[in-house]
Amino acid sequence: MECIFCKIVNKEVPSEKIAETETVLAFLDINPKAETHILIIPKTHIASIADPGAENVVGDLVKMAKQIAESHNISGYKLLFNVGREGGQMVDHLHLHFLSGKVTELP
Amino acid sequence: MECIFCKIVNKEVPSEKIAETETVLAFLDINPKAETHILIIPKTHIASIADPGAENVVGDLVKMAKQIAESHNISGYKLLFNVGREGGQMVDHLHLHFLSGKVTELP
């Protein structure tokens, strides 16, 4: 199993955890493109938004984003899915970018 | 009723429609920030991702994005929600930005 995000879920690779539920994990992006740059992922391996049924988990990812915003008193933020290499997706495990503050570069 | 996107749904304001279901409408952004820049909205008025329960409609918006990508043979794209003025949200009716090709400016 070579997926870096699955390894983060399984604690084989360390991460700075922000929040967690039974099905979703949020952790800091190690290469931040904004003042606050968090990745929110399903714990099960789904490669991409383009996968069949992937749309059924995005509600859970967005719900966690809202909870993080509320608990950190963040009123303005961006939620971004990159799809495919040309869309900027660098890791083939579905992830939602949570960006707030100045965005230095589009992930 | 002053919401510009509700007026587009009700055809009081014209738009270049891309796709439509019973609950979701997709149309071209009039001020495109990418080669392809489509807005995907719920037909009912929801102000923001931050609204209670808004996470329950994002699956439908993402599903339409996937259908548009497939029907237009777009393999790489970005899906973006802006939340709040500081997050870049300019219209207070929930909308998902579909961006593909060169992004000239972050919406």
Side-chain angles (χ1 to χ4, degrees):
Chain A
M1 196 254 290
E2 294 299 320
C3 170
I4 183 74
F5 286 177
C6 285
K7 287 183 176 176
I8 286 175
V9 169
N10 294 327
K11 298 192 172 73
E12 295 166 52
V13 168
S15 72
E16 290 204 59
K17 188 170 81 177
I18 300 296
E20 186 173 17
T21 67
E22 207 173 308
T23 58
V24 176
L25 178 67
F27 55 95
L28 291 182
D29 193 304
I30 56 166
N31 189 10
K33 301 293 199 300
E35 283 172 51
T36 300
H37 187 174
I38 297 164
L39 300 178
I40 304 172
I41 68 170
K43 288 185 177 177
T44 55
H45 186 81
I46 297 170
S48 165
I49 277 286
D51 281 22
E55 64 272 21
N56 298 324
V57 309
V58 300
D60 282 346
L61 305 183
V62 168
K63 188 176 176 185
M64 175 166 283
K66 292 171 62 166
Q67 288 166 345
I68 291 169
E70 282 169 29
S71 63
H72 291 73
N73 288 313
I74 296 171
S75 58
Y77 53 98
K78 294 174 181 293
L79 299 179
L80 173 69
F81 289 108
N82 290 335
V83 189
R85 288 289 175 274
E86 284 177 70
Q89 185 175 0
M90 307 301 282
V91 174
D92 289 333
H93 183 128
L94 176 60
H95 51 289
L96 177 61
H97 295 271
F98 178 110
L99 304 157
S100 76
K102 187 172 169 54
V103 177
T104 52
E105 189 188 340
L106 192 58
Chain B
M1 199 255 290
E2 294 298 320
C3 171
I4 184 75
F5 287 176
C6 283
K7 287 183 177 176
I8 286 175
V9 169
N10 294 328
K11 298 191 172 75
E12 294 166 52
V13 167
S15 72
E16 290 204 58
K17 188 170 79 176
I18 300 296
E20 185 173 17
T21 67
E22 207 173 307
T23 57
V24 176
L25 178 67
F27 55 95
L28 291 182
D29 194 303
I30 56 166
N31 188 10
K33 302 293 198 302
E35 282 172 51
T36 300
H37 187 174
I38 297 164
L39 300 179
I40 304 172
I41 68 171
K43 288 186 177 177
T44 55
H45 185 80
I46 297 169
S48 165
I49 277 285
D51 281 22
E55 63 271 22
N56 298 324
V57 308
V58 299
D60 282 346
L61 305 182
V62 168
K63 188 176 177 185
M64 174 166 282
K66 291 170 64 165
Q67 289 167 344
I68 291 170
E70 282 170 28
S71 63
H72 291 74
N73 288 313
I74 295 171
S75 58
Y77 54 99
K78 293 174 182 291
L79 299 179
L80 173 69
F81 289 108
N82 290 334
V83 188
R85 288 289 174 275
E86 284 177 70
Q89 185 174 0
M90 307 301 283
V91 174
D92 289 333
H93 183 128
L94 177 60
H95 51 289
L96 177 62
H97 295 270
F98 178 109
L99 305 157
S100 76
K102 186 172 169 54
V103 177
T104 52
E105 189 188 340
L106 192 58

